[in-house]
């Protein structure tokens, strides 16, 4: 009922920047929060950054000061601006959307399929 589509991943050199986009489509009544998570090989999935409907933000300590999350409510889209990238930022980045589904007014979470970010020289 809800689709989540990510884009913007790729290969970048250390110190470089990338901007990830995540758009939610479908039977959405309202969005409570959108967030970016990442998972590197051999590691657990971790929260990178999230933003709520009230614009409250959360960041992983490892990305504070380097990454910025923002949203465009009209487009049901969230962005993750990643600056000063480090090799340890290499991971699959996935978008999660916390929504109320319009079709039945239930609260649910939906995941995108993920986008690869590789930071290497």
């Amino acid at each position: 009922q809800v689709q989540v589509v990510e884009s913007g991943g790729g290969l970048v050199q250390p110190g470089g920047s990338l901007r990830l986009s995540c758009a939610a489509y479908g039977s959405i009544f309202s969005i409570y929060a959108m967030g970016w998570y990442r998972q590197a090989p051999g590691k657990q999935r971790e929260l990178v950054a999230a933003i709520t409907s009230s614009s409250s933000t959360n960041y992983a300590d490892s990305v504070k000061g380097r990454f910025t999350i923002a949203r465009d409510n009209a487009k049901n889209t969230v962005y993750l601006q990643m600056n000063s990238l480090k090799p340890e930022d290499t991971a699959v980045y996935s978008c999660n959307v916390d929504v109320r589904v319009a079709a039945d007014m239930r609260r649910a979470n939906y995941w995108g399929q993920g986008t690869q970010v590789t930071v290497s020289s």
Side-chain angles (χ1 to χ4, degrees):
Q1 298 182 69
V2 176
Q3 296 81 45
V4 180
V5 180
E6 304 116 324
S7 63
L11 175 65
V12 65
Q13 295 184 13
S17 298
L18 284 174
R19 190 191 193 203
L20 306 183
S21 297
C22 170
Y25 304 90
S27 183
I28 299 170
F29 180 81
S30 62
I31 297 178
Y32 292 94
M34 302 181 77
W36 286 97
Y37 295 74
R38 68 185 181 188
Q39 187 168 28
K43 295 185 177 180
Q44 288 187 294
R45 178 174 288 178
E46 64 173 343
L47 173 70
V48 178
I51 186 166
T52 70
S53 59
S54 62
S55 297
S56 177
T57 58
N58 292 314
Y59 294 94
D61 288 342
S62 60
V63 308
K64 286 181 179 178
R66 300 188 297 121
F67 292 9
T68 302
I69 190 167
R71 57 166 163 73
D72 184 337
N73 291 336
K75 297 180 179 179
N76 287 341
T77 298
V78 65
Y79 306 95
L80 185 66
Q81 179 65 47
M82 304 187 295
N83 298 325
S84 302
L85 283 161
K86 304 174 181 179
E88 50 263 45
D89 295 318
T90 296
V92 175
Y93 285 70
S94 300
C95 181
N96 178 266
V97 185
D98 179 10
V99 306
R100 186 171 298 280
V101 180
D104 56 9
M105 297 299 288
R106 65 185 172 89
R107 183 84 172 264
N109 283 282
Y110 293 88
W111 288 93
Q113 292 188 336
T115 184
Q116 177 71 46
V117 171
T118 302
V119 184
S120 177
S121 59

